[in-house]
Amino acid sequence: MAGYEYVSPEQLAGFDKYKYSAVDTNPLSLYIMHPFWNTIVKVFPTWLAPNLITFSGFLLVVFNFLLMAYFDPDFYASAPGYKHVPDWVWIVVGILNFIAYTLDGVDGKQARRTNSSTPLGELFDHGLDSWSCVYFVVTVYSIFGRGPSGVSVFVLYLLLWVVLFSFILSHWEKYNTGILFLPWGYDISQVTISFVYIVTAIVGVEACMDPSVAFRYFRVAS
């Protein structure tokens, strides 16, 4: 399909008029994450391309997926009687997930900081985000697994569609309004997921099946 015209001349001309517009009302983002990202972005040299930051964060998400796939290829590692994922893996995945989330938050700031914002950069960023929706949901699934006290694959399938639909819906809204209203769920879920990974390493996957396990652990620890 080398001769197929994917973008018309009229559409290409619209790139010069396009301006990114987004609204973020999430208190977590406004009062915690954005100030944190504003500090982090100053660490990056101005020659560092925003798209490289975007791609690096995406690679971390893929790495987490592959790492968990190695230790839990059939999603039974969290089930009773099966060999569990090592604790250090949960810690690594939790840290890398938060780093990937941070890189996704600073790539746009780096673009504006270096005056290199482009529509194609936004397309690249959000295109990779659409793929990340699949990878991070499947990676989180390993916490619960497919065992008798876990979550069925059908529920995983439904969760994937919920996340993807939310992503598509927000961009469909932007297509019609010209403004991207950032959903609260993304920031809250990423911070929560990173925290849950670390907690899983401390108290074990049993706490996800029975929350009282976690309460007993922290009661003993205190």
Side-chain angles (χ1 to χ4, degrees):
M1 302 183 67
Y4 182 79
E5 188 180 77
Y6 289 93
V7 182
S8 68
E10 292 78 13
Q11 291 171 326
L12 285 173
F15 276 47
D16 296 329
K17 304 175 183 178
Y18 176 81
K19 184 177 180 180
Y20 178 70
S21 179
V23 174
D24 191 353
T25 59
N26 186 353
L28 174 63
S29 302
L30 295 177
Y31 301 113
I32 298 178
M33 298 315 304
H34 279 294
F36 173 67
W37 293 335
N38 289 333
T39 301
I40 294 297
V41 74
K42 296 176 183 177
V43 177
F44 295 141
T46 54
W47 53 260
L48 183 61
N51 285 347
L52 181 58
I53 298 176
T54 301
F55 191 58
S56 298
F58 174 72
L59 289 180
L60 291 180
V61 174
V62 175
F63 177 79
N64 275 352
F65 170 78
L66 295 176
L67 181 63
M68 199 58 65
Y70 176 80
F71 286 98
D72 188 17
D74 54 6
F75 301 110
Y76 277 110
S78 296
Y82 288 82
K83 183 179 179 180
H84 292 342
V85 174
D87 293 341
W88 67 266
V89 174
W90 295 117
I91 295 175
V92 169
V93 170
I95 293 174
L96 293 185
N97 186 81
F98 186 78
I99 294 175
Y101 167 56
T102 299
L103 293 178
D104 187 45
V106 303
D107 54 2
K109 295 182 182 296
Q110 176 75 350
R112 290 183 287 275
R113 175 181 176 227
T114 57
N115 197 28
S116 56
S117 299
T118 66
L120 289 178
E122 182 188 349
L123 178 63
F124 183 68
D125 182 9
H126 293 181
L128 293 182
D129 286 345
S130 66
W131 282 100
S132 296
C133 289
V134 176
Y135 290 124
F136 81 75
V137 170
V138 175
T139 304
V140 172
Y141 182 59
S142 287
I143 297 178
F144 307 95
R146 299 170 56 188
S149 56
V151 179
S152 70
V153 177
F154 180 68
V155 172
L156 170 63
Y157 177 76
L158 294 179
L159 289 174
L160 283 170
W161 270 110
V162 168
V163 173
L164 287 172
F165 181 74
S166 298
F167 183 88
I168 294 171
L169 184 62
S170 63
H171 285 78
W172 177 82
E173 183 180 35
K174 180 195 174 185
Y175 177 79
N176 288 278
T177 65
I179 301 174
L180 177 62
F181 293 91
L182 298 171
W184 286 28
Y186 173 67
D187 296 282
I188 294 175
S189 65
Q190 289 303 305
V191 173
T192 302
I193 289 171
S194 300
F195 177 74
V196 168
Y197 283 139
I198 303 300
V199 171
T200 301
I202 297 173
V203 302
V205 294
E206 293 80 8
C208 297
M209 315 302 174
D210 183 5
S212 64
V213 174
F215 291 126
R216 286 196 300 269
Y217 177 90
F218 287 112
R219 182 181 301 173
V220 172
S222 61

